[in-house]
Amino acid sequence: MRASRFLFATLRETPNDAEVISHQLMLRAGMIRKLASGLYTWLPLGVRVLNKVEAIIREEMNRSGSLEVLMPVTQPAALWQESGRYVEYGPELLRFNDRHHNPFVLGPTHEEVISDLARLELKSYKQLPINFYQIQTKFRDEVRPRFGVMRSREFVMKDAYSFHIDQASLQETYDVMYETYSRIFTRLGLDFRAVQADTGSIGGSGSHEFHVLASSGEDDVIFSTESDYAANIEKAEAILVGERAAPSQALQIVATPEQKTIADVSAFLGTAAEQSVKAILVQGNNDADGNTTVVALFLRGDHELNEIKAEKHPAIASPLTFATEQQLQQLALPAGFVGPQGLVEKGITVIVDRAASVLSDFVAGANQVDHHATGVNWERDANYTEVYDLRNVVEGDPSPDGHGTLQIKRGIEVGHIFQLGTKYSEALACKVLGEDGKPSTMLMGCYGIGVTRVVAAAIEQNYDDKGILWPQGIAPFEVAIVPMNAHKSPRSLQAAEELYAELQAAGFDVLLDDRNERPGVKFADLELVGIPHRIVIGEKGLDAGTFEYKARTDAESSNLDKSALLARLQQSRVK
Amino acid sequence: MRASRFLFATLRETPNDAEVISHQLMLRAGMIRKLASGLYTWLPLGVRVLNKVEAIIREEMNRSGSLEVLMPVTQPAALWQESGRYVEYGPELLRFNDRHHNPFVLGPTHEEVISDLARLELKSYKQLPINFYQIQTKFRDEVRPRFGVMRSREFVMKDAYSFHIDQASLQETYDVMYETYSRIFTRLGLDFRAVQADTGSIGGSGSHEFHVLASSGEDDVIFSTESDYAANIEKAEAILVGERAAPSQALQIVATPEQKTIADVSAFLGTAAEQSVKAILVQGNNDADGNTTVVALFLRGDHELNEIKAEKHPAIASPLTFATEQQLQQLALPAGFVGPQGLVEKGITVIVDRAASVLSDFVAGANQVDHHATGVNWERDANYTEVYDLRNVVEGDPSPDGHGTLQIKRGIEVGHIFQLGTKYSEALACKVLGEDGKPSTMLMGCYGIGVTRVVAAAIEQNYDDKGILWPQGIAPFEVAIVPMNAHKSPRSLQAAEELYAELQAAGFDVLLDDRNERPGVKFADLELVGIPHRIVIGEKGLDAGTFEYKARTDAESSNLDKSALLARLQQSRVK
């Protein structure tokens, strides 16, 4: 591509409304422009990246044996009513009527449509397993779209849906998708982690998220220093460590006036936060008579409740809801000063986090306003109903697989694979005849990649103060050639044209920067846009038989002769 | 691809609701399935074709220097209000509100969005010309979607929009697009014609439609037997031929009771329809005092009025509207018996079609109920205001360029290139600084291809009673290999596997039909699906060292040795 025939739409200033770096750089590099809240036009530079990402995904999905389909963006509301999600999905599901007043939705996802297709087209177990994918525009009416294409309303997704006669087959395809996703993100040149994720209310046995690691990521990604173990924060298990020491202190009630937080109390008492427990009072499931109940959760003072884990406990209401003031009053529990002492005796279910359960001589609320208890010990001073994993892991926790300790990094979720089981196939009656000749409800898996999101995530992971640092496989151009004084030096221009032709013939995606601009402007643009290799051609180099080469990540340029230059470029593709 | 891992969704019966052959065959071959009225899911077989069509279009658009972008499907209504089309476009424009009650539309086309982009990003004539394209999903809320993907509500289009500083530049890009479209449809393997089209109310100097010729086409495509001249029926000019002979008959009034049509009257009088004129009375533009007027059009009895041509006459109201009964009564004109005699004298504008203007001694209405006049002659018996091209051309008319005569075939419009001039750039204030430093409104061109429609049109042009006859470049697979008794003959299967690997290595898109089905079922499927080449491998052929080869269009198969087989396949790609 000749730069003079391309649209360079670089901006020197950072637009005001762009909060995250990828949004800023995509605007500044001229990859996208905002059309309306959460709606972006992809400019030529952005489309080049998007197409490369799509091509890698399509190639690997085809290789995996998945079959490409294309489903409509507009979907009849009736299918969503059938699955129950017409109500469940909430206002992110954009609904409208067509000219004949028939209700439709703009598809945020396609489980319903593919299930409808599967129940019509799949008749026998012999057609299974089968895995359909598409790369397609989706719409989610975010209440507050932001971060550019990272959380836009319209976006491109690769979504896939597999159908199976049994769990073993689902697991097999799931494993193939895990490998396929790993290959995809590797080929995209991204530092990523596949982490175990919670399957939520669907249940089912398997779910992994694929996160691109980036300090700006919204999610915590947990992984072991010494093994393959990786999980998201919702899922990562905090195992029981150590044993409880015998009590050595007597229980004492201490006045702690105006000490509200764990930090306040610890400072006031001169103890460490990890030597205290905090109470979290939540709604339990109703009792046999239909009365509301309260469940008391106790965690170490320095630990954080993991709501997803808590919700899974059969005694606790889901979604997790805090106990009301009225409930606390009825139980005579003073908010902010609740301790475990005597709660079980009041008929309250007391669930203690594993780490809190091995404390001795700890600080807790005294169940009395403005007072705490010190020297509290389980069993001697306070009973509990059960010990349970209730907290978020923290860095340094032992890995649940017994190998190494846990590290935490920030990640951006770009892919998700999920064993849906029969959630949709049950609701939409997706059955095939099994080997025994009887109708059998198919099992489903679903597998998504946020294609437009991947582009933003790649930038969040790869940038410096000058602009983007594209992984070569998805760079808008791999190499830029800059002839110096092209409009005055026919010799530079001719040498540039020759190299341009040669590199293109060698299969490189090359930009010849033939714009009538100062070198400084060109260099700044090329760095902002993030082209991995830059070759400057000038009279001096031509005299010496060298080219001025600089990788985007190099601090300085080096003068290379043609064979060294070509070797350097070829090498960059190998890694 | 192994057929056992593909989704064959062929149907033996023709679905009831499919009226046209492409719709029937796309359903029967398992290319598409209906989700809702005018909404189709593309199955794996259909997507393979669609992707090939898209790839050819993308490659040629890139080659033309057009830059790919991707605009949102959802568009803010405000832009459509600005262009005036929010009202103009009618109910085919699907409108909805987002969760914040902001009005949006689902884009049927993107002139507004690209104009908005252009006015923000293009600042100087130096950035021009520039041509943006996208391949993207569009939505048009057809009142009665039909013919499958030929007239669906959601469809894929390649749309392009170019921007220019002057008409010369617009014409240059327009010509490039004409060549590009010609290359695209040639590479798609389709028999097509580029025809001049009317530019309608936009005016502007250029518009061509690209039609795939097919007897089922909805449009008439006109072209010369001996030159490049081609136009659609609205545009094709009927030139003046011959000269008027001197009168030889006297005017006579003849009673023609109950003779209503031209055919009736001609039969009754024993004259040919082409020796008569028919009157069509339409609304003229209001006169200087604001009163309605009537314009009388006269055409030869065997010719058809071309409304588009008539509307262009400055005296005639647009859109074309027939005169009311009341107007005819006021002028004492008896409907069905109006002749040109005395009309000009009544103050009526009389416009005569060129062919009607060279008649002598013709039949016309007598301006008297149940009576006609014979031996009518212009000037002697009837004056006229003007001679004008008012009719549709017919086969055998001379070509307007003076070379050959006109032929008429049926066509399916699959592409359209159009010089928009300043229609949108005026409305949306798209200006750049010109060479003189002053703001200048850009000129625009737009260029569309109905991508999904191309697939249907290709089938309308290429099928037989067994199924589809794909042009090789867009066939879902180029070659099918069928091992006979694969499940019993390891030798056939092994030979098939070897050939499969060999042809894939040679770059062919091959289907290995390893399904456990009878040969008859496989052959019927492969013919229905339209794979251009079929190779059957059996024990007998293996003994003789031959393969049973049959092109989809061959009546009989032939036994070829490997080198002859490979030569045949290679050759098929060249043409």
Side-chain angles (χ1 to χ4, degrees), chain B residues 280-311:
Chain B
I280 298 166
L281 296 140
V282 301
Q283 302 280 345
N285 288 314
N286 290 359
D287 67 17
D289 300 330
N291 301 312
T292 65
T293 64
V294 167
V295 175
L297 312 177
F298 286 93
L299 284 88
R300 232 168 64 179
D302 59 327
H303 283 157
E304 268 179 27
L305 177 68
N306 182 314
E307 299 195 7
I308 303 286
K309 290 179 179 177
E311 276 174 10

mmCIF file of all heavy atoms in Angstrom, chain B residues 280-311:
data_model
loop_
_atom_site.group_PDB
_atom_site.id
_atom_site.type_symbol
_atom_site.label_atom_id
_atom_site.label_comp_id
_atom_site.label_asym_id
_atom_site.label_seq_id
_atom_site.Cartn_x
_atom_site.Cartn_y
_atom_site.Cartn_z
ATOM 1 N N ILE B 280 -52.776 8.361 -24.231
ATOM 2 C CA ILE B 280 -52.644 8.206 -22.779
ATOM 3 C C ILE B 280 -52.681 9.610 -22.199
ATOM 4 O O ILE B 280 -51.853 10.460 -22.543
ATOM 5 C CB ILE B 280 -51.337 7.485 -22.411
ATOM 6 C CG1 ILE B 280 -51.339 6.074 -23.017
ATOM 7 C CG2 ILE B 280 -51.163 7.413 -20.906
ATOM 8 C CD1 ILE B 280 -50.005 5.383 -23.006
ATOM 9 N N LEU B 281 -53.682 9.849 -21.362
ATOM 10 C CA LEU B 281 -53.875 11.211 -20.845
ATOM 11 C C LEU B 281 -53.354 11.293 -19.418
ATOM 12 O O LEU B 281 -53.786 10.530 -18.549
ATOM 13 C CB LEU B 281 -55.356 11.568 -20.934
ATOM 14 C CG LEU B 281 -55.766 11.603 -22.419
ATOM 15 C CD1 LEU B 281 -57.124 11.015 -22.654
ATOM 16 C CD2 LEU B 281 -55.656 13.027 -22.943
ATOM 17 N N VAL B 282 -52.422 12.172 -19.226
ATOM 18 C CA VAL B 282 -51.767 12.253 -17.913
ATOM 19 C C VAL B 282 -51.813 13.687 -17.380
ATOM 20 O O VAL B 282 -52.126 14.633 -18.112
ATOM 21 C CB VAL B 282 -50.297 11.786 -18.002
ATOM 22 C CG1 VAL B 282 -50.215 10.345 -18.500
ATOM 23 C CG2 VAL B 282 -49.472 12.705 -18.882
ATOM 24 N N GLN B 283 -51.496 13.804 -16.115
ATOM 25 C CA GLN B 283 -51.423 15.111 -15.477
ATOM 26 C C GLN B 283 -50.216 15.879 -16.001
ATOM 27 O O GLN B 283 -49.108 15.338 -16.044
ATOM 28 C CB GLN B 283 -51.240 14.976 -13.954
ATOM 29 C CG GLN B 283 -52.315 14.188 -13.247
ATOM 30 C CD GLN B 283 -53.561 15.014 -13.012
ATOM 31 O OE1 GLN B 283 -53.556 16.243 -13.128
ATOM 32 N NE2 GLN B 283 -54.654 14.328 -12.720
ATOM 33 N N GLY B 284 -50.464 17.135 -16.386
ATOM 34 C CA GLY B 284 -49.342 18.013 -16.676
ATOM 35 C C GLY B 284 -48.972 18.791 -15.428
ATOM 36 O O GLY B 284 -49.642 18.682 -14.389
ATOM 37 N N ASN B 285 -47.913 19.552 -15.521
ATOM 38 C CA ASN B 285 -47.612 20.451 -14.401
ATOM 39 C C ASN B 285 -48.637 21.579 -14.408
ATOM 40 O O ASN B 285 -49.204 21.930 -15.451
ATOM 41 C CB ASN B 285 -46.192 20.981 -14.535
ATOM 42 C CG ASN B 285 -45.177 19.890 -14.225
ATOM 43 O OD1 ASN B 285 -45.316 19.170 -13.237
ATOM 44 N ND2 ASN B 285 -44.186 19.737 -15.095
ATOM 45 N N ASN B 286 -48.905 22.124 -13.227
ATOM 46 C CA ASN B 286 -49.915 23.181 -13.138
ATOM 47 C C ASN B 286 -49.514 24.378 -14.003
ATOM 48 O O ASN B 286 -48.327 24.647 -14.200
ATOM 49 C CB ASN B 286 -50.075 23.632 -11.681
ATOM 50 C CG ASN B 286 -50.752 22.545 -10.853
ATOM 51 O OD1 ASN B 286 -51.113 21.484 -11.381
ATOM 52 N ND2 ASN B 286 -50.931 22.819 -9.577
ATOM 53 N N ASP B 287 -50.531 25.081 -14.518
ATOM 54 C CA ASP B 287 -50.214 26.249 -15.334
ATOM 55 C C ASP B 287 -49.860 27.447 -14.449
ATOM 56 O O ASP B 287 -49.825 27.329 -13.222
ATOM 57 C CB ASP B 287 -51.358 26.562 -16.311
ATOM 58 C CG ASP B 287 -52.618 27.030 -15.585
ATOM 59 O OD1 ASP B 287 -52.526 27.413 -14.389
ATOM 60 O OD2 ASP B 287 -53.692 26.997 -16.207
ATOM 61 N N ALA B 288 -49.591 28.571 -15.098
ATOM 62 C CA ALA B 288 -49.110 29.755 -14.372
ATOM 63 C C ALA B 288 -50.100 30.201 -13.297
ATOM 64 O O ALA B 288 -49.710 30.757 -12.259
ATOM 65 C CB ALA B 288 -48.847 30.892 -15.358
ATOM 66 N N ASP B 289 -51.398 29.919 -13.526
ATOM 67 C CA ASP B 289 -52.413 30.314 -12.538
ATOM 68 C C ASP B 289 -52.633 29.244 -11.468
ATOM 69 O O ASP B 289 -53.535 29.351 -10.636
ATOM 70 C CB ASP B 289 -53.742 30.591 -13.248
ATOM 71 C CG ASP B 289 -53.596 31.713 -14.283
ATOM 72 O OD1 ASP B 289 -52.740 32.600 -14.057
ATOM 73 O OD2 ASP B 289 -54.296 31.670 -15.305
ATOM 74 N N GLY B 290 -51.868 28.162 -11.567
ATOM 75 C CA GLY B 290 -52.011 27.124 -10.549
ATOM 76 C C GLY B 290 -53.085 26.106 -10.865
ATOM 77 O O GLY B 290 -53.430 25.265 -10.034
ATOM 78 N N ASN B 291 -53.640 26.152 -12.081
ATOM 79 C CA ASN B 291 -54.662 25.170 -12.445
ATOM 80 C C ASN B 291 -54.013 23.885 -12.948
ATOM 81 O O ASN B 291 -52.933 23.912 -13.541
ATOM 82 C CB ASN B 291 -55.553 25.725 -13.570
ATOM 83 C CG ASN B 291 -56.224 27.021 -13.139
ATOM 84 O OD1 ASN B 291 -56.785 27.103 -12.056
ATOM 85 N ND2 ASN B 291 -56.109 28.052 -13.990
ATOM 86 N N THR B 292 -54.701 22.772 -12.700
ATOM 87 C CA THR B 292 -54.179 21.509 -13.217
ATOM 88 C C THR B 292 -54.295 21.519 -14.734
ATOM 89 O O THR B 292 -55.136 22.220 -15.305
ATOM 90 C CB THR B 292 -54.986 20.305 -12.684
ATOM 91 O OG1 THR B 292 -56.315 20.387 -13.180
ATOM 92 C CG2 THR B 292 -54.999 20.286 -11.174
ATOM 93 N N THR B 293 -53.428 20.728 -15.363
ATOM 94 C CA THR B 293 -53.476 20.623 -16.825
ATOM 95 C C THR B 293 -53.461 19.145 -17.200
ATOM 96 O O THR B 293 -53.141 18.280 -16.364
ATOM 97 C CB THR B 293 -52.254 21.297 -17.479
ATOM 98 O OG1 THR B 293 -51.069 20.588 -17.072
ATOM 99 C CG2 THR B 293 -52.130 22.750 -17.074
ATOM 100 N N VAL B 294 -53.824 18.871 -18.442
ATOM 101 C CA VAL B 294 -53.788 17.505 -18.959
ATOM 102 C C VAL B 294 -52.824 17.492 -20.142
ATOM 103 O O VAL B 294 -52.811 18.423 -20.953
ATOM 104 C CB VAL B 294 -55.193 17.054 -19.393
ATOM 105 C CG1 VAL B 294 -55.128 15.770 -20.227
ATOM 106 C CG2 VAL B 294 -56.072 16.857 -18.170
ATOM 107 N N VAL B 295 -52.019 16.457 -20.228
ATOM 108 C CA VAL B 295 -51.125 16.266 -21.368
ATOM 109 C C VAL B 295 -51.554 14.980 -22.064
ATOM 110 O O VAL B 295 -51.814 13.973 -21.400
ATOM 111 C CB VAL B 295 -49.653 16.171 -20.916
ATOM 112 C CG1 VAL B 295 -48.739 15.845 -22.091
ATOM 113 C CG2 VAL B 295 -49.210 17.465 -20.235
ATOM 114 N N ALA B 296 -51.686 15.054 -23.379
ATOM 115 C CA ALA B 296 -52.077 13.863 -24.144
ATOM 116 C C ALA B 296 -50.848 13.271 -24.801
ATOM 117 O O ALA B 296 -50.098 13.961 -25.494
ATOM 118 C CB ALA B 296 -53.105 14.237 -25.206
ATOM 119 N N LEU B 297 -50.614 11.976 -24.496
ATOM 120 C CA LEU B 297 -49.478 11.273 -25.092
ATOM 121 C C LEU B 297 -50.019 10.326 -26.156
ATOM 122 O O LEU B 297 -51.042 9.657 -25.937
ATOM 123 C CB LEU B 297 -48.744 10.448 -24.031
ATOM 124 C CG LEU B 297 -48.415 11.167 -22.718
ATOM 125 C CD1 LEU B 297 -47.748 10.204 -21.738
ATOM 126 C CD2 LEU B 297 -47.495 12.355 -23.007
ATOM 127 N N PHE B 298 -49.367 10.277 -27.310
ATOM 128 C CA PHE B 298 -49.792 9.327 -28.345
ATOM 129 C C PHE B 298 -48.643 8.403 -28.696
ATOM 130 O O PHE B 298 -47.540 8.846 -29.008
ATOM 131 C CB PHE B 298 -50.289 10.077 -29.588
ATOM 132 C CG PHE B 298 -51.637 10.695 -29.352
ATOM 133 C CD1 PHE B 298 -51.750 12.019 -28.908
ATOM 134 C CD2 PHE B 298 -52.790 9.940 -29.518
ATOM 135 C CE1 PHE B 298 -52.993 12.573 -28.645
ATOM 136 C CE2 PHE B 298 -54.039 10.493 -29.257
ATOM 137 C CZ PHE B 298 -54.147 11.808 -28.824
ATOM 138 N N LEU B 299 -48.945 7.099 -28.625
ATOM 139 C CA LEU B 299 -47.955 6.076 -28.988
ATOM 140 C C LEU B 299 -48.572 5.159 -30.029
ATOM 141 O O LEU B 299 -49.807 5.071 -30.125
ATOM 142 C CB LEU B 299 -47.583 5.217 -27.772
ATOM 143 C CG LEU B 299 -46.657 5.842 -26.742
ATOM 144 C CD1 LEU B 299 -47.472 6.598 -25.709
ATOM 145 C CD2 LEU B 299 -45.817 4.766 -26.071
ATOM 146 N N ARG B 300 -47.735 4.467 -30.747
ATOM 147 C CA ARG B 300 -48.245 3.491 -31.689
ATOM 148 C C ARG B 300 -48.996 2.420 -30.906
ATOM 149 O O ARG B 300 -48.620 2.077 -29.773
ATOM 150 C CB ARG B 300 -47.074 2.857 -32.452
ATOM 151 C CG ARG B 300 -47.244 2.902 -33.957
ATOM 152 C CD ARG B 300 -45.975 2.536 -34.665
ATOM 153 N NE ARG B 300 -45.585 1.149 -34.389
ATOM 154 C CZ ARG B 300 -44.499 0.569 -34.911
ATOM 155 N NH1 ARG B 300 -43.684 1.261 -35.715
ATOM 156 N NH2 ARG B 300 -44.201 -0.678 -34.609
ATOM 157 N N GLY B 301 -50.010 1.852 -31.528
ATOM 158 C CA GLY B 301 -50.881 0.901 -30.826
ATOM 159 C C GLY B 301 -50.148 -0.287 -30.239
ATOM 160 O O GLY B 301 -50.555 -0.829 -29.216
ATOM 161 N N ASP B 302 -49.064 -0.705 -30.865
ATOM 162 C CA ASP B 302 -48.341 -1.898 -30.388
ATOM 163 C C ASP B 302 -47.204 -1.540 -29.438
ATOM 164 O O ASP B 302 -46.457 -2.421 -29.023
ATOM 165 C CB ASP B 302 -47.783 -2.671 -31.594
ATOM 166 C CG ASP B 302 -46.844 -1.817 -32.437
ATOM 167 O OD1 ASP B 302 -47.060 -0.579 -32.529
ATOM 168 O OD2 ASP B 302 -45.875 -2.359 -33.003
ATOM 169 N N HIS B 303 -47.052 -0.283 -29.083
ATOM 170 C CA HIS B 303 -45.936 0.120 -28.210
ATOM 171 C C HIS B 303 -46.395 0.374 -26.790
ATOM 172 O O HIS B 303 -47.567 0.620 -26.539
ATOM 173 C CB HIS B 303 -45.257 1.378 -28.790
ATOM 174 C CG HIS B 303 -44.363 1.071 -29.956
ATOM 175 N ND1 HIS B 303 -44.010 1.997 -30.916
ATOM 176 C CD2 HIS B 303 -43.741 -0.092 -30.327
ATOM 177 C CE1 HIS B 303 -43.231 1.428 -31.808
ATOM 178 N NE2 HIS B 303 -43.060 0.171 -31.488
ATOM 179 N N GLU B 304 -45.405 0.311 -25.867
ATOM 180 C CA GLU B 304 -45.722 0.521 -24.450
ATOM 181 C C GLU B 304 -45.112 1.817 -23.937
ATOM 182 O O GLU B 304 -43.959 2.122 -24.232
ATOM 183 C CB GLU B 304 -45.139 -0.622 -23.608
ATOM 184 C CG GLU B 304 -46.105 -1.753 -23.415
ATOM 185 C CD GLU B 304 -45.465 -2.857 -22.587
ATOM 186 O OE1 GLU B 304 -44.554 -2.573 -21.778
ATOM 187 O OE2 GLU B 304 -45.876 -4.009 -22.782
ATOM 188 N N LEU B 305 -45.891 2.510 -23.141
ATOM 189 C CA LEU B 305 -45.393 3.751 -22.544
ATOM 190 C C LEU B 305 -44.243 3.441 -21.587
ATOM 191 O O LEU B 305 -44.301 2.493 -20.801
ATOM 192 C CB LEU B 305 -46.520 4.441 -21.752
ATOM 193 C CG LEU B 305 -46.109 5.717 -21.013
ATOM 194 C CD1 LEU B 305 -45.785 6.838 -21.996
ATOM 195 C CD2 LEU B 305 -47.203 6.167 -20.051
ATOM 196 N N ASN B 306 -43.195 4.261 -21.617
ATOM 197 C CA ASN B 306 -42.094 4.185 -20.659
ATOM 198 C C ASN B 306 -42.281 5.351 -19.691
ATOM 199 O O ASN B 306 -42.059 6.518 -20.036
ATOM 200 C CB ASN B 306 -40.763 4.309 -21.425
ATOM 201 C CG ASN B 306 -39.551 4.203 -20.523
ATOM 202 O OD1 ASN B 306 -39.511 4.826 -19.475
ATOM 203 N ND2 ASN B 306 -38.569 3.414 -20.940
ATOM 204 N N GLU B 307 -42.722 5.015 -18.498
ATOM 205 C CA GLU B 307 -43.107 6.078 -17.550
ATOM 206 C C GLU B 307 -41.922 6.951 -17.141
ATOM 207 O O GLU B 307 -42.066 8.153 -16.936
ATOM 208 C CB GLU B 307 -43.760 5.460 -16.306
ATOM 209 C CG GLU B 307 -45.018 4.685 -16.659
ATOM 210 C CD GLU B 307 -45.871 4.365 -15.440
ATOM 211 O OE1 GLU B 307 -45.551 4.869 -14.338
ATOM 212 O OE2 GLU B 307 -46.852 3.624 -15.599
ATOM 213 N N ILE B 308 -40.762 6.308 -17.014
ATOM 214 C CA ILE B 308 -39.561 7.054 -16.606
ATOM 215 C C ILE B 308 -39.226 8.129 -17.635
ATOM 216 O O ILE B 308 -38.917 9.285 -17.301
ATOM 217 C CB ILE B 308 -38.357 6.093 -16.459
ATOM 218 C CG1 ILE B 308 -38.668 4.978 -15.474
ATOM 219 C CG2 ILE B 308 -37.092 6.846 -16.090
ATOM 220 C CD1 ILE B 308 -38.674 5.383 -14.038
ATOM 221 N N LYS B 309 -39.312 7.743 -18.907
ATOM 222 C CA LYS B 309 -39.033 8.720 -19.961
ATOM 223 C C LYS B 309 -40.078 9.843 -19.921
ATOM 224 O O LYS B 309 -39.748 11.029 -20.028
ATOM 225 C CB LYS B 309 -39.064 8.053 -21.336
ATOM 226 C CG LYS B 309 -37.897 7.096 -21.598
ATOM 227 C CD LYS B 309 -38.030 6.463 -22.993
ATOM 228 C CE LYS B 309 -36.872 5.518 -23.281
ATOM 229 N NZ LYS B 309 -37.048 4.850 -24.594
ATOM 230 N N ALA B 310 -41.356 9.456 -19.806
ATOM 231 C CA ALA B 310 -42.429 10.451 -19.836
ATOM 232 C C ALA B 310 -42.267 11.461 -18.700
ATOM 233 O O ALA B 310 -42.399 12.676 -18.884
ATOM 234 C CB ALA B 310 -43.789 9.756 -19.762
ATOM 235 N N GLU B 311 -41.948 10.947 -17.526
ATOM 236 C CA GLU B 311 -41.795 11.815 -16.350
ATOM 237 C C GLU B 311 -40.740 12.889 -16.540
ATOM 238 O O GLU B 311 -40.755 13.917 -15.870
ATOM 239 C CB GLU B 311 -41.353 10.973 -15.138
ATOM 240 C CG GLU B 311 -42.478 10.308 -14.422
ATOM 241 C CD GLU B 311 -41.931 9.383 -13.342
ATOM 242 O OE1 GLU B 311 -40.715 9.420 -13.060
ATOM 243 O OE2 GLU B 311 -42.740 8.635 -12.785
#
